[in-house]
Amino acid sequence: MSRPGRLPVESTSEQRIVLHVDMDCFYAACERLREPPLRGEPVVVGMGYEPGETVGAVATASYEAREHGVESAQSIERALELLPRREADPDAEPTAYYRPVDMSYYEDVSEEVQSVLAEHADVLRAVSIDEAYLDVTDRTDWESVEQFAGELKTEIADTVGVEASVGVAPTMSAAKIASDHDKPDGLTVVEPGSVQSFLAPLDVEDIHEVGPKTVTELAEMGIETAGELADADPAALVDRFGERGRAIYRYARGEDDRDVTPVGKPKSLSRESSLPAEAGGSRTVREQVRTLADAVADRANRRDALYQTIGIKVVTPPFDINTRERSLSGPVDRPELVRSVALDLLAEFADREVRKVGVFVSGLSFSAGDQASLAEWDGDSDGTEIETHTNETDTTPQSSSGSRRLSGQTTLADFR
Ligand code: DCP
Ligand code: MG
């Protein structure tokens, strides 16, 4: 076997042009979109946060808030110490606006971004709600890719109203690092042949597949930067880490053969929303279901998806998940049917207290031949599902009570 050191550097990847797009402070940017006075101000978006409360953790913070030390995963309590609530103390300086996470809204914005991206690439892969890889090899070349990426950023800003940072490189891993290189509003192009020198000064933790434990172990071997990793003896790395040792060595040298591959088409489309405890009343629930049904039907329509099953999910106290569904005789695109079937299924819960409702369509088929690129936007095997909402209370299939009607194709997994 030839020593990896003799392999031509970046030999396998020069032909591809990969873009990595990552939205800037995405949840905060979405909040600013619907609440323009928040623009240019410190904004903190809290997961599990309730207005006026101190519970929860920071999902993201605007760059203005980050300047004061607020960061993702911090407790809201700590963030409030660094930046008091604007409303609570208008005279204090500095302060921030605090907003609770609203996934449903962020997913809508994400979908708009995805539509713009889909127009700019034949192959794209969404890896989270605010992040995607595009293979644009057939759309541009290395001379024009900076302009191409700049136009993409502008179009996202103009049509959706949020800002993206973009990295361009001949490999996925370098493109990802490049998009993070000059945030926010960044655009970094790493040309073929300069990947290794671009990576060299970075900490090893920036290299793909290098986690915190590996960082410590590499430090014990005297390796702290990507450049040191690229110059290390690959045999020693294999001794220590097995085959992964060779992989991280190659990534540090800018070698990454992975292709941007789309993920499969969705099995179902769903929308759900929580109802405030005080909302009560079956009328409110019916209105909510009507809205969700329209949103799901619209989403299916935009993707040229036909559905054969229509269903609802109803969460009743404490956290019982009830799903009801009805199968149709064939695949359809009939928004009014989604509405009427969903409302019909809901009738059973007319006298019950409802915490959360969802509407889904499943048994999907895609009518148009060119849906591949849009259907790719349904998340990643290791990432966030874009179509569906995640909620820690609704992932336990056992708590579903007598949930099947007519046909049994739909699963609770569709809601995860
Ligand atoms: N997110 C979260 N909890 C985390 C990290 C992120 O809920 N610990 C959410 C909120 C972010 C979104 O995911 O807005 C996207 O994650 P990013 O890591 O891309 O962070 P941002 O987009 O907020 O900021 P950046 O500008 O650094 O990309
Ligand atoms: Mg982001």
Side-chain angles (χ1 to χ4, degrees), residues 22-28 47 58-61 63 66 72-73 129-130 180 183:
D22 188 309
M23 310 310 295
D24 299 330
C25 59
F26 184 58
Y27 294 3
M47 182 86 76
V58 176
T60 196
Y63 282 77
R66 292 181 200 191
S72 291
I129 193 166
D130 89 325
D180 202 37
K183 260 182 174 289

Side-chain angles (χ1 to χ4, degrees), residues 28-46:
C30 293
E31 292 298 335
R32 286 171 161 169
L33 192 56
R34 63 175 165 191
E35 211 181 332
L38 269 49
R39 287 187 191 147
E41 301 285 345
V43 177
V44 179
V45 181

Side-chain angles (χ1 to χ4, degrees), residues 44-124:
V44 179
V45 181
M47 182 86 76
Y49 167 75
E50 303 278 348
E53 305 284 331
T54 58
V55 291
V58 176
T60 196
S62 71
Y63 282 77
E64 294 79 0
R66 292 181 200 191
E67 278 173 25
H68 299 277
V70 178
E71 57 187 23
S72 291
Q74 203 167 51
S75 70
I76 291 289
E77 237 172 353
R78 174 70 188 135
L80 282 164
E81 284 169 15
L82 297 164
L83 284 174
R85 244 184 282 276
R86 172 74 50 105
E87 298 84 342
D89 192 354
D91 297 329
E93 274 298 330
T95 54
Y97 292 96
Y98 285 75
R99 296 291 179 267
V101 163
D102 178 355
M103 282 310 292
S104 173
Y105 178 60
Y106 309 153
E107 282 166 5
D108 287 346
V109 179
S110 174
E111 200 164 288
E112 288 178 34
V113 173
Q114 292 152 25
S115 305
V116 177
L117 297 185
E119 285 163 19
H120 284 77
D122 300 317
V123 185
L124 61 83

Side-chain angles (χ1 to χ4, degrees), residues 156-179:
I156 295 170
D158 289 351
T159 61
V160 188
V162 290
E163 208 166 70
S165 288
V166 177
V168 184
T171 66
M172 289 175 75
S173 50
K176 182 169 170 68
I177 293 167
S179 74

Side-chain angles (χ1 to χ4, degrees), residues 302-363:
R302 274 192 273 159
R303 293 174 176 219
D304 286 336
L306 302 175
Y307 31 88
Q308 193 157 2
T309 299
I310 297 166
I312 60 167
K313 179 176 97 165
V314 180
V315 180
T316 51
F319 289 113
D320 290 330
I321 300 161
N322 310 273
T323 58
R324 300 289 185 269
E325 63 188 50
R326 187 168 298 164
S327 281
L328 313 168
S329 51
V332 297
D333 171 14
R334 301 253 320 265
E336 78 288 352
L337 203 58
V338 179
R339 230 189 215 218
S340 62
V341 169
L343 287 171
D344 199 28
L345 295 172
L346 183 71
E348 179 190 338
F349 299 90
D351 302 325
R352 310 265 299 273
E353 189 186 333
V354 175
R355 287 265 161 88
K356 190 179 224 188
V357 283
V359 174
F360 63 84
V361 293
S362 63

